[in-house]
Amino acid sequence: MTGCTSGPDFVRPDKPKEQGYTPENLVPQTAASAVSNGGAAQTFVPTEDIPGEWWKLFRSSELNALIDKALKANPDLDAAQASLRQANEALYAQQGTLFPTISANGSVQQLRASGVQLGGSVDTQLLYGVTTGTLNISYNLDLWGGVRRSVEAQHAQVDFQRFQLEATYLTLTSNVVVAAINLASLRGQIAATEAIIKIETDALRVVESQFALGGASRADVLAQQAVLTATQATLPPLQKQLAQQRNQLMTLLGKPPTHDAGQSLLLSSIKLPEELPLSLPSQLVEQRPDVRSAEAQLRTASANIGVAIANQLPQLTLTGMWGMASAGASTAFMPGTGIWTLGASIAQTLFDGGKLEHTKLAAVAAYEKAAAQNRSTVLLAFQDVANALRALQADAETLKATVAAEQVAAASLALVQQQYQAGSVNYLTLFNAQQTYQSALINRVKAQGQRYSDTAALFQALGGGWWNRTDVDAASKGAPGVFNLPPAQDIKLPRGGQQGT
């Protein structure tokens, strides 16, 4: 009675055979390190797994608090959870089509007929009742497994929504981390700019004093004023970026811009993770939510081919009815009142202008499209990891260079200021020293923030450790909170014979 299952049985794509992410062997440790906050060398550990709460590796209580707020109130996460519940309920509804449909009907009527209706006298009247009760059963035998393929397709959609939820979770946590780091970086750049403004303001006072004493020209005063105003002009854009970044963070936390949070977070309070887990390429396709979502879409497309093939084949339906009919409620269920019917129907489309055939060919094309999109998603996953690894190597070199440049520039500026006050150097030398220090200080703060952000990008590129989360039931592995969805392989679907049978 189960027949066979039409269409191809889904087979997961082969795992990539690559052993790494770069053409050459990956250096196990970032080559450069700097004596500065966030300047330590980072080591890549292939054998280490990613923790579910990977952001705690930054060891910042303020950052952890922001993540907790976002997970409780972000509307995008709520929408993704609702989509998962919707897909799960649709699966249960689809599974109901595998069972017979049973319905019950009953009616009671009391009638009075005129004698004229019966061909008699107008004075003649007849009172009688009709009582019926039936149990109706209808069952699609699903000989070709089209219904079972529909259930398989819907279950794949549940998997798709589950991994879409994980992708939303990963994107949210990553964006909060990056937004918080950007806030801290901008706050550091603003503080550095204000410090530079103070230095240049002090320098202007010195030049004005020397001008009053005849030791400097009016051109020197105007030049220093120009330097000061140019530096002051860089402050409003930084403050604008800070406000916009704060507004973005508030949105991620599920709050309007009128609220405030994260104002105490500084780069100095964030610790750079020095040991970074690095998954093998064969593991990456299991860990990335977007790759798993694309695979679920591929499984849906595969099942839809079976549905289209089954629709081309004869459809057999069994129907049955059992019940009673009597002349009134008082005679119901008496011997002789039982009624029943049993029937079967078969339907086969003989001509439809090629509709069913082209529907099947469209399903095949959709599968080929989903397969190509799956391969593209895997390639993009490799690209993300490779980019993050390259960025971390470059970030370490950049931070080391900017720290050294800042130290040299600070020492040079201090020396030139002393020489200028003593009259041994001209104003142009002081001006150049100020410009050099200003650039070095800002570049160092930017380099620190970029290294933290790219570290977060590596965790995101590797999948974020959702499989190690503690707020998920072990049976669901992917649905936060109270969702306990079985993995795809736990739904037992009959496996068919040859395609088209």
Side-chain angles (χ1 to χ4, degrees):
M1 296 295 289
T2 60
C4 61
T5 307
S6 59
D9 288 330
F10 178 68
V11 178
R12 295 187 65 185
D14 294 333
K15 293 183 179 181
K17 297 180 174 58
E18 284 76 13
Q19 299 299 315
Y21 300 97
T22 56
E24 69 284 352
N25 292 330
L26 181 68
V27 178
Q29 187 179 56
T30 56
S33 61
V35 183
S36 172
N37 183 49
Q42 292 178 300
T43 303
F44 303 110
V45 187
T47 58
E48 186 174 342
D49 200 4
I50 303 173
E53 297 176 327
W54 55 268
W55 55 88
K56 291 187 176 180
L57 297 177
F58 289 95
R59 291 176 289 172
S60 170
S61 58
E62 294 93 339
L63 184 59
N64 296 341
L66 291 175
I67 295 290
D68 290 341
K69 292 178 181 178
L71 294 179
K72 292 177 181 177
N74 184 268
D76 293 335
L77 193 59
D78 292 339
Q81 290 173 335
S83 295
L84 178 58
R85 291 196 299 270
Q86 179 186 9
N88 198 38
E89 295 301 330
L91 171 62
Y92 294 149
Q94 190 67 38
Q95 287 174 333
T97 59
L98 294 171
F99 299 90
T101 299
I102 303 175
S103 61
N105 296 305
S107 65
V108 177
Q109 291 181 322
Q110 191 71 22
L111 304 176
R112 185 178 71 173
S114 170
V116 176
Q117 291 176 292
L118 302 175
S121 170
V122 69
D123 297 328
T124 303
Q125 293 184 343
L126 178 64
L127 295 174
Y128 64 94
V130 177
T131 301
T132 62
T134 60
L135 192 65
N136 303 284
I137 302 176
S138 176
Y139 182 50
N140 184 344
L141 290 183
D142 193 29
L143 292 178
W144 320 114
V147 176
R148 280 165 284 161
R149 287 301 190 197
S150 297
V151 173
E152 180 184 1
Q154 185 56 48
H155 191 275
Q157 283 300 301
V158 172
D159 283 343
F160 171 78
Q161 291 297 341
R162 182 172 60 184
F163 290 114
Q164 284 293 98
L165 173 58
E166 287 304 335
T168 303
Y169 183 97
L170 176 58
T171 300
L172 173 62
T173 53
S174 300
N175 286 346
V176 170
V177 170
V178 172
I181 290 172
N182 288 342
L183 269 178
S185 176
L186 287 168
R187 202 171 291 116
Q189 294 176 48
I190 289 174
T193 302
E194 291 174 342
I196 293 170
I197 290 174
K198 182 178 184 305
I199 292 174
E200 292 176 350
T201 301
D202 293 340
L204 177 60
R205 294 194 187 98
V206 173
V207 175
E208 288 175 338
S209 298
Q210 292 182 341
F211 173 70
L213 297 174
S217 66
R218 182 62 180 170
D220 292 340
V221 175
L222 294 176
Q224 182 61 33
Q225 287 177 340
V227 172
L228 176 59
T229 54
T231 304
Q232 289 172 335
T234 63
L235 193 56
L238 291 174
Q239 292 171 334
K240 181 187 75 173
Q241 294 178 46
L242 180 68
Q244 292 175 340
Q245 192 67 64
R246 190 200 65 82
N247 294 341
Q248 180 185 356
L249 180 60
M250 290 302 100
T251 301
L252 294 172
L253 299 183
K255 299 181 181 297
T258 52
H259 288 247
D260 206 354
Q263 295 301 305
S264 62
L265 187 64
L266 300 173
L267 282 179
S268 58
S269 67
I270 305 174
K271 306 302 180 183
L272 184 73
E274 297 181 14
E275 291 189 354
L276 301 177
L278 183 61
S279 307
L280 296 174
S282 58
Q283 294 175 304
L284 185 66
V285 295
E286 299 287 344
Q287 298 174 178
R288 288 272 296 218
D290 55 344
V291 174
R292 298 296 296 274
S293 294
E295 184 180 304
Q297 292 288 70
L298 181 61
R299 185 183 176 199
T300 299
S302 173
N304 286 337
I305 295 176
V307 174
I309 293 174
N311 289 337
Q312 294 179 294
L313 302 173
Q315 306 298 312
L316 181 62
T317 303
L318 297 180
T319 57
M321 183 272 290
W322 176 84
M324 66 84 189
S326 67
S330 61
T331 59
F333 304 106
M334 292 183 64
T337 60
I339 57 174
W340 60 269
T341 62
L342 181 63
S345 64
I346 187 168
Q348 171 64 59
T349 301
L350 300 179
F351 178 76
D352 63 355
K355 175 184 175 182
L356 292 177
E357 176 64 18
H358 289 292
T359 300
K360 183 196 73 173
L361 294 177
V364 173
Y367 176 82
E368 294 171 349
K369 174 185 175 182
Q373 290 175 333
N374 181 73
R375 294 194 299 271
S376 176
T377 304
V378 171
L379 290 175
L380 289 175
F382 275 65
Q383 177 185 333
D384 290 343
V385 177
N387 288 345
L389 293 174
R390 293 292 188 188
L392 289 176
Q393 293 284 0
D395 290 343
E397 297 284 354
T398 301
L399 182 57
K400 181 179 180 180
T402 55
V403 168
E406 180 194 7
Q407 292 172 345
V408 172
S412 175
L413 177 59
L415 179 61
V416 170
Q417 285 176 326
Q418 294 176 357
Q419 292 175 336
Y420 183 77
Q421 292 177 3
S424 59
V425 298
N426 58 24
Y427 173 75
L428 182 60
T429 304
L430 176 62
F431 171 79
N432 290 334
Q434 290 173 346
Q435 291 291 329
T436 301
Y437 177 69
Q438 176 184 1
S439 298
L441 183 57
I442 298 297
N443 289 339
R444 190 264 300 167
V445 175
K446 288 181 178 179
Q448 282 179 318
Q450 191 61 50
R451 197 175 190 199
Y452 286 120
S453 296
D454 287 335
T455 299
L458 178 63
F459 286 113
Q460 183 178 14
L462 293 173
W466 56 268
W467 54 96
N468 287 325
R469 285 167 52 192
T470 57
D471 60 337
V472 178
D473 187 273
S476 64
K477 282 299 180 186
V482 298
F483 306 123
N484 296 318
L485 300 180
Q489 59 270 23
D490 290 348
I491 296 290
K492 302 304 182 183
L493 296 171
R495 299 185 64 84
Q498 297 180 353
Q499 177 175 339
T501 62

